[in-house]
Each structure stands twice: as C-alpha cells, then as structure tokens.
Amino acid sequence: MRLDKLLAHTGYGTRKDVRDLLKKNRVQVDGKQVKKGNIHIDTENQNVTVDDEVVYYEQYIYLMLHKPQDYVSATVDDRDKTVIDLVPAKYKHYHLAPVGRLDKDTEGLVLLTNDGMFNHIVTSPKNNIDKTYYAKITGEVLDKHIAEFNQGVILDDGYETKPADLKIISSGEQSEITLSISEGKFHQVKRMFRAIGMEVTYLKRLRIGNIILDDQLKIGDIRKLNENEMEYVASLIE
Ligand code: URA
C-alpha cells in the first residue's frame, strides 16, 4: 500500500495533512526519514513511524454497533438511512458491511466488518451461530410455548424452524421474553410469534454467538471489538 494512503487510513489526517507530515520530516520507514508519499509499503514486513510512534495498519476491522430503529442493515439505500451512516469518519475508509440483517424497526447488536470471510461464517446457516433477542409481545406467552418453540414452529411459508430457546421474563396481556435462535430467516422472530398467534411489538438483538451487546454502548454508538471478543472472532475464522 502507498505510504500516504496508509497514513491517511491510520488516522494521520487528510492526504494534505499527510503531505505536511512528510515534508516536515516526521515520517520514517524502517528507521529512515522519507519525504515521498507515493512509495510502496509492505505492511507485513516494514515498520512505519511518525515522530517515533509506530503506525499499526489493520487490514480487517470488526466493530460493534448499537443499532437504533429507523436504520436499514445495508451499505446504501435510496430511501432510508443505513447502519453505515452511523460509522464515524475514522472508520469510513474500511468499506464496512453489516454482518447479517436486522429489520428497520429492530434495535440492538449489529457487527460491522470488512472481512467477508467472517461475515460469511457468521451468517451461513450451516454454522449454527445462535443469536439472542429480547422482545415485547402482545399476548400471553406461556410455558407451553417454550416447548413449542423448542420443537420448532411452522412459519407462514411452511418452513419448520430449528429448535429455539424461549425464556419468559414476564407474561400477561403484554409479555416480555428472550429468544435464542440459530438461523436467520427473513423476519424470523416476528414470524415465529405470528405462528402462535402473537405479535412482536418491540425487538432488540442482544447477542451473536459469544458477542454480547455492550450495555455501556449508547444507542447509535459504535466501538471496536475488545480483546475477548476478538478472540472469539479469531476462533471462528481459524
Ligand atoms: N427476527 C426478526 O423478525 N427481525 C429481526 O430484525 C431479526 C430477527
């Protein structure tokens, strides 16, 4: 990768800022001062420093978003705001994409990455990565529904869902539940409740595999995955 691009991509400002850094002799490659931004850097083997600070280049990046309602899980959309619109400027150049989809009116955990392999592993049905949702339901969710969801319910298109783990938080005219599922059919949680005659009125994703929505992350905010979460990512792509 070109040195000026590398510096711009690692937070040293615009191309013009980078030119200034180079002009002022503040950039070294393998210990030697360089002035030209167009030289090629082998990011695996060469050492770039700015004012003696090592520049770390990451090819792949993994972010956690607390998705608000009204945003679609896409990279571009003609009508709606997308989850990519929430990405801070410092991550914009990574060409991020959401890992799987949440409905426009669903909140909660969305992972964003430029690692297509990881995206594929998490979303591929054959990998059975389970996700947990919190939902508010109109209708009385009862113990018998736990068994029904555990056996699998038939959706409106005749598809029988895989076993799902339903937990009742409260039950009444309006119930609160969590549901863990290992597949991601279109509108799956809403359709599973419709299959038992109930409606989801609020839906939030809490977990994808071992990655849990950070309760300190405000709605609409994004952070990089931490070390523990990255260990899980590494275990999946190994
Ligand atoms: N199931 C749904 O119905 N909607 C979502 O956004 C995610 C799972």
Side-chain angles (χ1 to χ4, degrees), residues 19-37:
R19 265 201 307 274
D20 287 347
L21 279 180
L22 287 158
K23 237 198 266 162
K24 289 178 182 157
N25 295 326
R26 292 172 60 190
V27 183
Q28 300 86 34
V29 176
D30 294 334
K32 286 199 194 102
Q33 224 136 57
V34 287
K35 275 184 179 291
K36 283 196 171 153

Side-chain angles (χ1 to χ4, degrees), residues 101-103 106 133 187-191 203:
R101 282 166 189 268
L102 285 184
D103 297 338
T106 302
Y133 296 86
H187 298 324
Q188 180 154 347
V189 176
K190 293 171 185 164
R191 288 163 71 209
L203 189 59

Side-chain angles (χ1 to χ4, degrees), residues 80-97:
D80 288 307
K81 296 173 282 188
T82 77
V83 288
I84 301 301
D85 295 331
L86 294 163
V87 173
K90 63 181 172 187
Y91 299 128
K92 284 276 191 218
H93 61 274
Y94 279 106
H95 303 297
L96 293 157

Side-chain angles (χ1 to χ4, degrees), residues 28-30 37 56 65 70 77 82 104-105 111 122 138 163 172-174 189 202 225 230 235 237:
Q28 300 86 34
V29 176
D30 294 334
Y56 292 102
L65 161 69
D70 298 330
D77 195 274
T82 77
K104 187 175 162 186
D105 62 354
L111 298 176
V122 174
T138 47
E173 259 171 51
Q174 245 232 50
V189 176
Y202 172 81
L225 294 192
M230 282 308 298
S235 75
I237 49 189

Side-chain angles (χ1 to χ4, degrees), residues 50-236:
V50 175
D51 299 335
D52 295 327
E53 190 181 278
V54 178
V55 176
Y56 292 102
Y57 174 72
E58 290 169 299
Q59 184 180 10
Y60 294 120
I61 188 152
Y62 307 85
L63 304 174
M64 172 186 291
L65 161 69
H66 188 163
K67 178 190 172 296
Q69 291 183 344
D70 298 330
Y71 285 79
V72 293
S73 299
T75 49
V76 282
D77 195 274
D78 289 344
R79 273 179 312 170
D80 288 307
K81 296 173 282 188
T82 77
V83 288
I84 301 301
D85 295 331
L86 294 163
V87 173
K90 63 181 172 187
Y91 299 128
K92 284 276 191 218
H93 61 274
Y94 279 106
H95 303 297
L96 293 157
V99 177
R101 282 166 189 268
L102 285 184
D103 297 338
K104 187 175 162 186
D105 62 354
T106 302
E107 288 179 7
L109 175 60
V110 172
L111 298 176
L112 300 167
T113 187
N114 56 350
D115 180 350
M117 174 75 91
F118 174 71
N119 201 328
H120 176 72
I121 289 168
V122 174
T123 49
S124 169
K126 70 174 194 293
N127 290 322
N128 290 321
I129 307 253
D130 60 328
K131 292 129 196 144
T132 300
Y133 296 86
Y134 163 85
K136 291 184 185 163
I137 312 291
T138 47
E140 199 172 359
V141 182
L142 302 168
D143 284 349
K144 67 171 185 181
H145 297 125
I146 296 177
E148 279 180 39
F149 275 21
N150 201 258
Q151 265 152 34
V153 292
I154 311 280
L155 301 183
D156 43 16
D157 58 358
Y159 176 78
E160 183 174 351
T161 60
K162 290 187 187 162
D165 185 19
L166 174 65
K167 292 197 168 68
I168 300 171
I169 300 170
S170 67
S171 181
E173 259 171 51
Q174 245 232 50
S175 303
E176 281 177 272
I177 60 96
T178 62
L179 183 66
S180 298
I181 55 176
S182 63
E183 44 190 354
K185 300 276 170 216
F186 188 57
H187 298 324
Q188 180 154 347
V189 176
K190 293 171 185 164
R191 288 163 71 209
M192 286 177 77
F193 278 94
R194 236 169 263 153
I196 58 163
M198 297 183 193
E199 281 297 318
V200 171
T201 56
Y202 172 81
L203 189 59
K204 177 176 183 174
R205 183 157 62 193
L206 304 177
R207 185 177 65 87
I208 299 173
N210 286 1
I211 301 176
I212 296 170
L213 178 64
D214 183 342
D215 58 10
Q216 302 297 307
L217 193 66
K218 291 200 206 86
I219 205 153
D221 278 359
I222 286 183
R223 70 152 168 80
K224 273 169 106 167
L225 294 192
N226 64 29
E227 223 172 286
N228 277 342
E229 293 157 348
M230 282 308 298
E231 271 177 30
Y232 175 64
V233 169
S235 75
L236 289 179

